[in-house]
Amino acid sequence: MTRPGFWCECWTQRLDGRRPPALFGSFDAYSAVEANNWVATILRTISPALDTAASQEAWTRLQDDRIDTRRALLRREPWAVSITHASTRITWTVRPTVFLPLAHRHGNQLPACAFDFKPLATDSGKANLDYPQVGTSP
């Protein structure tokens, strides 16, 4: 039996372009609230360690954009938020999905095949991480 939910990822990318984006972490959320809370919790956790501009941007996302974020997720639309700290861009993506039960999955542990994922490259050779930002049109 399938179950609707959201696939959430955190990507990091050096702004100098010398390295491809790297998947930092992922999370399977089973509701819009859970997906939103995953991103919000991380932003709250890391904001004290960010430079002033990035910290302010994180708090703006948490405070001013929360209603638009929640609406997008309730409509099951892909959503992303990025902040830039020093020479690194951190992007959180949330995509609606349908989860298939995996017989060999135990708790929160991902099966080995999950680590075989490689992002699709665009014509420019960089990973395609272009998801609509809150408050923008696709």
Side-chain angles (χ1 to χ4, degrees):
M1 187 162 133
T2 61
R3 184 173 179 185
F6 297 88
W7 183 246
C8 309
E9 295 176 336
C10 178
W11 289 85
T12 59
Q13 181 177 17
R14 298 282 309 217
L15 296 178
D16 61 15
R18 291 188 296 182
R19 295 184 196 146
L23 179 63
F24 187 76
S26 60
F27 177 71
D28 45 337
Y30 292 97
S31 70
V33 171
E34 195 175 16
N36 184 58
N37 287 346
W38 182 72
V39 175
T41 299
I42 294 171
L43 282 172
R44 277 189 210 97
T45 302
I46 70 168
S47 66
L50 299 173
D51 61 41
T52 302
S55 182
Q56 288 176 343
E57 187 176 357
W59 281 102
T60 297
R61 301 282 185 201
L62 286 167
Q63 301 298 319
D64 298 345
D65 297 340
R66 64 187 163 83
I67 293 171
D68 290 335
T69 300
R70 182 71 54 92
R71 285 182 184 149
L73 295 175
L74 289 172
R75 288 188 303 263
R76 299 194 52 79
E77 296 173 354
W79 174 83
V81 61
S82 294
I83 60 171
T84 301
H85 171 69
S87 62
T88 303
R89 178 176 297 117
I90 307 167
T91 302
W92 291 269
T93 63
V94 178
R95 292 174 284 183
T97 192
V98 177
F99 291 109
L100 300 172
L102 299 173
H104 59 289
R105 183 164 181 182
H106 303 286
N108 289 335
Q109 196 100 18
L110 289 175
C113 64
F115 301 102
D116 293 338
F117 169 77
K118 302 287 186 271
L120 297 175
T122 63
D123 291 340
S124 67
K126 294 183 180 177
N128 183 4
L129 299 177
D130 296 329
Y131 292 94
Q133 299 288 319
V134 171
T136 63
S137 300

